Amino acid sequence: MHQGFTSLPPELLLIVAECTDQNTLCSLLRTKKPIHFLLWPVLYKREISRRHAVGLIRSIRLGCGTAVSKFIAAGADINARIETGDCEEFTGYTYPLATAVVRNQKAIVGLLLQHGADVNAKIDGFLCYTVLADRIHPWAGVLSNTPLTVAVAMGYVDLAVALAQKLEDPNTVVSIVLLSDYTALEQAARCLRPQVVRQLLERGADPNKRRPGNVTLLHALLEDPDLPSYVGALEDGESIFAEVIMELLQHGADPFVEKACEDHGDEDWTKCELECNLTACSLGAHSPYAAVRRHFRSVSHRQACKKLACRETRYFNMEWRQS
């Protein structure tokens, strides 16, 4: 049958292939290379047309870039919300790009981005696959995720930088934690990913955006009571934290922005200034990390010093990285 079939004109081959069942079609694809190249679009289009098509997701999980390319060529919607029926990436549903990021499939992520995959696609489901990875940041346990938040939380820095480059608005909200919105910059900083922080700042992310409580990102990082435990769990965590702070300062974060005090209010501002650490600079001067503490104390000195040489360099100490 196959021998007679392969002698048919290509137009007839396609018509016959579209009318065959799945097993016969797969059998025909294995006959000859020319037949395979002619008929594979029929197989992939048939998979795409299924009600719960998971062929693309399975190809991504296996790291099969060739199959992913064929799905794209056959017209697969790479921004389609896909319910896989399992919980290997997220509870509920996933997107092709999100699955590729969870699996750290760099080549496939690049391929999907090249064809317009949405880096802001939100998934209201817990990230499941990461329970097997002990190195991840607790941020991976939040309910709302995007491909970028997954890459940042899991420490896939190269992927996170590539995704950050595709953000139309670097100040966009990427996650919601305990009813609070977080931008990509805020998440990258809290997860201690200095390379991602730098990329977002270079794209125009605002380091001085006010958060609830009238605090900036510098304030939030320097007074976060939970961050030291994560810093201590990382190899060289103290220097990574210092690098994140320095990236923010180098890209315009203002260490002298005043924080509103909920205890004393505006009427007792002088007392707050002395006792409540209203600026990031005063918070940093009491940091548990020596490099951060030295830098902000030096910044405080240069801010108050009347010497011109000190005041001209009050925002940035060039000796930071050497200290």
Side-chain angles (χ1 to χ4, degrees):
M1 183 267 189
H2 288 168
Q3 185 173 2
F5 179 83
T6 56
S7 63
L8 293 174
E11 296 82 0
L12 286 177
L13 286 174
L14 288 170
I15 293 172
V16 173
E18 288 174 357
C19 298
T20 61
D21 59 38
Q22 191 78 350
N23 290 335
T24 303
L25 178 58
C26 291
S27 178
L28 291 172
L29 285 165
R30 292 192 291 267
T31 55
K32 295 181 179 179
K33 282 188 178 180
I35 298 297
H36 176 86
F37 288 122
L38 178 68
L39 299 185
W40 71 255
V42 178
L43 178 66
Y44 280 78
K45 287 178 181 177
R46 185 176 292 182
E47 167 62 22
I48 292 168
S49 67
R50 292 175 56 199
R51 185 176 178 184
H52 295 293
V54 294
L56 175 57
I57 293 298
R58 288 176 179 170
S59 298
I60 293 171
R61 288 174 176 175
L62 293 171
C64 187
T66 302
V68 174
S69 295
K70 288 182 176 181
F71 272 110
I72 294 173
D77 181 0
I78 58 173
N79 288 313
R81 171 175 162 164
I82 299 174
E83 297 183 12
T84 61
D86 56 41
C87 293
E88 292 199 33
E89 284 88 30
F90 302 91
T91 54
Y93 62 93
T94 187
Y95 294 98
L97 181 60
T99 288
V101 170
V102 172
R103 301 288 176 147
N104 198 22
Q105 300 287 1
K106 295 180 182 178
I108 294 177
V109 168
L111 180 63
L112 294 171
L113 290 176
Q114 181 183 346
H115 286 85
D118 182 6
V119 299
N120 288 324
K122 286 185 170 57
I123 302 171
D124 296 323
F126 290 104
L127 185 58
C128 299
Y129 187 73
T130 55
V131 295
L132 303 176
D134 359 305
R135 70 187 184 286
I136 61 171
H137 190 275
W139 200 289
V142 304
L143 177 61
S144 179
N145 283 284
T146 68
L148 177 58
T149 66
V150 171
V152 170
M154 294 188 71
Y156 300 151
V157 174
D158 292 342
L159 290 183
V161 169
L163 293 166
Q165 290 172 342
K166 295 292 184 178
L167 281 177
E168 289 185 12
D169 178 6
N171 292 303
T172 188
V173 170
V174 296
S175 193
I176 302 172
V177 182
L178 299 177
L179 302 181
S180 295
D181 293 345
Y182 288 89
T183 66
L185 177 63
E186 290 164 342
Q187 190 215 6
R190 286 177 177 274
C191 289
L192 303 186
R193 313 298 184 205
Q195 302 95 319
V196 187
V197 169
R198 184 184 313 121
Q199 175 62 228
L200 290 164
L201 289 166
E202 289 175 353
R203 294 278 326 280
D206 181 7
N208 293 311
K209 176 189 173 185
R210 297 287 185 136
R211 292 203 49 74
N214 203 28
V215 299
T216 65
L217 181 53
L218 273 178
H219 285 120
L221 291 172
L222 291 166
E223 65 182 357
D224 185 343
D226 299 322
L227 200 55
S229 61
Y230 181 57
V231 171
L234 291 177
E235 184 179 353
D236 209 18
E238 183 173 335
S239 93
I240 296 173
F241 177 77
E243 189 175 352
V244 168
I245 296 295
M246 200 58 203
E247 289 293 348
L248 291 168
L249 291 171
Q250 283 182 296
H251 289 86
D254 188 349
F256 303 112
V257 170
E258 295 167 6
K259 172 191 171 186
C261 178
E262 297 177 358
D263 295 328
H264 298 125
D266 294 337
E267 72 281 354
D268 202 359
W269 184 85
T270 304
K271 186 175 182 181
C272 287
E273 183 181 30
L274 297 174
E275 298 180 8
C276 296
N277 296 324
L278 286 179
T279 68
C281 193
S282 55
L283 283 168
H286 295 87
S287 169
Y289 310 118
V292 175
R293 188 167 61 246
R294 270 197 309 272
H295 179 72
F296 279 109
R297 287 181 180 179
S298 178
V299 169
S300 295
H301 163 75
R302 293 196 301 277
Q303 172 69 359
C305 184
K306 297 182 185 290
K307 294 180 180 179
L308 182 61
C310 285
R311 290 184 65 81
E312 284 182 343
T313 59
R314 66 185 182 274
Y315 286 103
F316 176 51
N317 180 5
M318 294 299 293
E319 297 176 357
W320 166 278
R321 295 188 186 278
Q322 302 172 4
S323 60

